[in-house]
Amino acid sequence: MFGRLRSLDRKVLDNISRIHSPGMNMVMKTASRSANVGLIWWLVCLPFLINPNWRSIGFNYVIALCFAHVMGEGLIKHTVKRIRPCHDLDDDEQIINRPRFYSFPSGHTTASFAMVGVSIYRGLPPYVVLPILAIAMLISFSRIYLRVHYLTDVIAGMFLGLICSGISVLFFHAIGLA
């Protein structure tokens, strides 16, 4: 089974590398960088934290992001210790600098889908959920496109983000803030 997953991961990377172009490289680098240290998601949290009617949702986002970071970057990534696909590339094939840490799960994707999950689980309107989902999907795809993650890293990050956001929302319901 793991052999099939590795084969699928390699095929996806090979197929995506066929669509590389200077313009797409710029778009993907920008999308990926927007999520470095969760920057875009902290910016999305701000209006929610400022508006008293939406403050609880803003704090829910913050807790979900923190929980996703602890679980993905703190625990799982350093337990699994999967080497990134970019470490098999020559320097001239690399689009961005090689990240220092491990690959599984994608932290960018985990944070992105923690935001998506809170938005959905808290029943936010489509005009809020859809842009967050679109940004999350772009960031997630960019991580594979840039060859710093495998497809399975991104899928695991999606699930982990949704699980972390679900736990965060349940916590907020339990303490009466949702």
Side-chain angles (χ1 to χ4, degrees), residues 32-33 35-36 41 73 106-113 139 143 149:
S32 182
R33 286 184 182 142
N36 287 354
W41 302 124
E73 298 294 319
S106 167
H108 284 65
T109 302
T110 301
S112 297
F113 278 83
I139 290 167
R143 304 304 286 169
H149 282 292

Side-chain angles (χ1 to χ4, degrees), residues 26-154:
M26 266 325 247
V27 169
M28 294 300 148
K29 285 194 287 189
T30 302
S32 182
R33 286 184 182 142
S34 75
N36 287 354
V37 299
L39 178 63
I40 191 151
W41 302 124
W42 295 113
L43 292 174
V44 168
C45 289
L46 281 177
F48 287 91
L49 292 169
I50 292 169
N51 183 331
N53 296 328
W54 294 65
R55 192 164 291 146
S56 167
I57 294 168
F59 282 121
N60 210 156
Y61 282 138
V62 169
I63 296 300
L65 285 170
C66 291
F67 189 50
H69 179 74
V70 168
M71 293 302 297
E73 298 294 319
L75 295 175
I76 298 171
K77 198 169 274 204
H78 293 285
T79 300
V80 174
K81 296 182 179 181
R82 185 178 196 187
I83 302 300
R84 293 176 182 270
C86 59
H87 291 288
D88 293 336
L89 299 174
D90 294 329
D91 287 340
D92 62 330
E93 294 178 282
Q94 195 59 37
I95 299 171
I96 62 172
N97 293 333
R98 288 180 177 91
R100 293 180 295 169
F101 299 111
Y102 300 109
S103 185
F104 183 89
S106 167
H108 284 65
T109 302
T110 301
S112 297
F113 278 83
M115 294 291 289
V116 170
V118 169
S119 301
I120 292 170
Y121 301 148
R122 291 292 297 261
L124 297 182
Y127 65 84
V128 174
V129 175
L130 293 177
I132 289 173
L133 177 61
I135 294 167
M137 294 295 289
L138 178 62
I139 290 167
S140 300
F141 178 75
S142 77
R143 304 304 286 169
I144 301 168
Y145 179 95
L146 296 169
R147 296 183 279 199
V148 293
H149 282 292
Y150 295 103
L151 174 65
T152 51
D153 300 336
V154 168

